[in-house]
Amino acid sequence: MLRTSVHIAILTLQLSQLAAATVPLNRSAAPTIKLDDGIFIGLNTGATNEFLGIPFAKPPVGDLRLRLPQANEPYHGIFNATVFGNRCISQDLTANIPSDTMNPTAVSVLSAVLQRFNSNEVESEDCLFVNVVVPANATGESKLPVVFWIYGSGFESGTSSAYNGSAVVQRSLELDTPVIYVSLNHRCVLSLGFPGGKEAKEAGIGNLGLRDQRLAMRWVQKYISTFGGDPAKVMIWGESAGASAVEMHMLANGGDNQGLFRSAFMHSVAVFPDDYSMDIGQAVFDQFVSDAGCADALGSVVVFDCLRALPIDAIRNATTPTPGVFGYTSLSIGWRPYADGVFVTTSPTQLVLDGSITDIPYVIGNAEDEATMFVLSATNITTDEELQAYLSDNAFAAFSMTGIDRILGLYSSDPTAGSPFDTGDANAITPEYKRMAAVLGDAFLQAPRRFLLRQRSGQQPSYAYLYSRFKSTPYLGAFHTSDDADIYGPGDLTDAIVRFAATLDPNGVLNVTWPRYTPDAPQMFRFLDGDVPFEVINDTFRENGIDALIELEAEVA
């Protein structure tokens, strides 16, 4: 019964997206677009035209594996743009789930969660593609705003085909505020997209996945006007790892956005509570290289020559055992963006403190119960002492034991105080489950959002939200990515996204005013279930705990 009820709650989100994705196609009137000397044949869905799987970079295969992305040559010939391009090589998120460290209830809940991440798509290193969805009546003179979507999945997995851009464009037409939707596939499996360690730093190949995204943004600048878009009105937009990538682009190159985007929309930005140096990734890189068969080349950039010569299955097999977001170490994943000293010069926390950030309007928000799904694999933690040791070994390894004790003193083990929040004694899988979900959700997601807003809301237009819908989902509450249903449903959040992309203000479509966030009035727009769908709240919940987390993270930045 438990597993069934969790399935129903999660499938509610999936079915809302499926309904939007099954718009009948009118293939008899295939649209075309000319880029350079190439003709791309897309497909028509009635109100929208889709051009899918357009290569924006040379395939990062062979000698181009583990190198900076290179722009495509000018297009020639005829291209089929009716299907998505290959999914990039991904880490198996269902692998390494440690059932021996999980409460039986947690096993059932996580099994339901992981069904959202299953995919039968073909994976390939040749995967750097963009997709463009436009109103069917758009012309080269339309100059429409552009939303540029970056998917999430922990810098470990993901694909653009999982998100129905036509639903967003269709909704924009209903709002009489048409936009163009662009998405991309980028190198997301961490061993190919985000190598860490001294070798990667010396080779200058940090943050390859972010560099892929940046190159796709340049593609937009070059070609989007042909589709009817305005290259001066691009909003970069993402969720989870995609939102973290958006923030990294705001912080990259000393805060110079190079004219690539004018606004940003971020759902659930995750920032890691450590110093962000590439050295942090050394141990995982060494293990990966050893498992792949290149251990003899460690310590020198020649290790990448060895890795480039391997069959892709060797890369995939060596990646699988590395720490994943649903594994025991939870959000302390093995590979992710680092301060490479070039594209991202130091930690996000320090860059924000230095004011090294693009001065553009932005929206940033969270689901209310961000970490519930991520702590299911560590439900063997049942005592205060075990939780202290777990945090010291994993998420808070950079903090002193005094700092960890300070945090635990501010987050009660009383289940009524934990996450899912405001659910009383319910949902307490173990005595520490809701407490651990509260601590990690605040440390990785809520505290970084509040920190950014405190530092920047007085300097640039800032808006914040809290997503509190689907609170009745057993054990998970308003879980991480639960706002997908309101984005690609589409729903109220879609309306705000479209308005913000077009006007730099989320207001105009919702019946409650969404205030700007300021240091003197730190207000958030809250999405709710029930008859009252919206309210405005002060961003002061769990203030003592989040303040302490911000202070500790700043100390190690």
Side-chain angles (χ1 to χ4, degrees), residues 189 237 246 302 328 443 464 500:
V189 72
W237 166 40
V246 168
V302 300
Y328 187 70
F500 191 73

Side-chain angles (χ1 to χ4, degrees), residues 393-525:
D393 290 340
N394 295 288
F396 293 169
F399 295 172
S400 68
M401 194 59 70
T402 300
I404 294 172
D405 288 342
R406 178 186 175 194
I407 296 301
L408 291 178
L410 295 169
Y411 285 84
S412 172
S413 59
D414 182 347
T416 63
S419 178
F421 297 108
D422 301 321
T423 60
D425 291 324
N427 301 310
I429 295 177
T430 72
E432 297 286 346
Y433 170 73
K434 293 182 72 175
R435 184 189 196 187
M436 193 154 71
V439 170
L440 293 184
D442 282 358
F444 281 84
L445 294 133
Q446 300 284 6
R449 173 194 52 75
R450 189 173 291 174
F451 168 74
L452 176 66
L453 287 161
R454 285 179 177 175
Q455 295 295 319
R456 298 305 306 171
S457 62
Q459 311 296 320
Q460 59 196 97
S462 307
Y463 297 87
Y465 76 85
L466 185 68
Y467 193 80
S468 299
R469 293 179 178 170
F470 298 99
K471 285 290 291 185
S472 61
T473 308
Y475 303 107
L476 300 177
F479 57 91
H480 184 75
T481 74
S482 57
D483 50 358
D484 274 358
D486 244 335
I487 298 171
Y488 286 93
D492 299 316
L493 194 48
T494 315
D495 295 354
I497 289 165
V498 167
R499 286 291 298 177
F500 191 73
T503 68
L504 306 180
D505 186 331
N507 289 290
V509 285
L510 306 176
N511 61 14
V512 172
T513 299
W514 188 329
R516 277 181 58 167
Y517 193 109
T518 67
D520 295 331
Q523 294 183 308
M524 305 180 73
F525 192 87

Side-chain angles (χ1 to χ4, degrees), residues 523-543:
Q523 294 183 308
M524 305 180 73
F525 192 87
R526 190 181 191 190
F527 294 82
L528 298 163
D529 288 317
D531 295 334
V532 180
F534 318 114
E535 68 176 358
V536 175
I537 63 171
N538 290 322
D539 186 18
T540 54
F541 51 84
R542 300 185 299 283
E543 191 164 29

Side-chain angles (χ1 to χ4, degrees), residues 66-69 155 187 189-214 248-249 252-253 276-279 285 301 304 308 335-345:
L66 289 164
R67 293 194 191 276
L68 298 181
F155 298 107
R187 284 173 284 184
V189 72
L190 303 112
S191 53
L192 294 175
F194 295 92
K198 61 186 179 183
E199 297 91 343
K201 185 173 183 179
E202 183 180 348
I205 58 169
N207 299 313
L208 294 175
L210 296 180
R211 304 292 189 100
D212 293 345
Q213 296 161 15
R214 200 77 164 192
M248 297 297 270
H249 285 292
N253 292 323
Y276 260 75
S277 71
M278 292 187 74
D279 294 342
F285 181 75
V301 294
F304 296 108
R308 291 181 187 113
W335 312 74
R336 33 80 166 191
Y338 299 102
D340 58 27
V342 180
F343 190 68
V344 180
T345 55

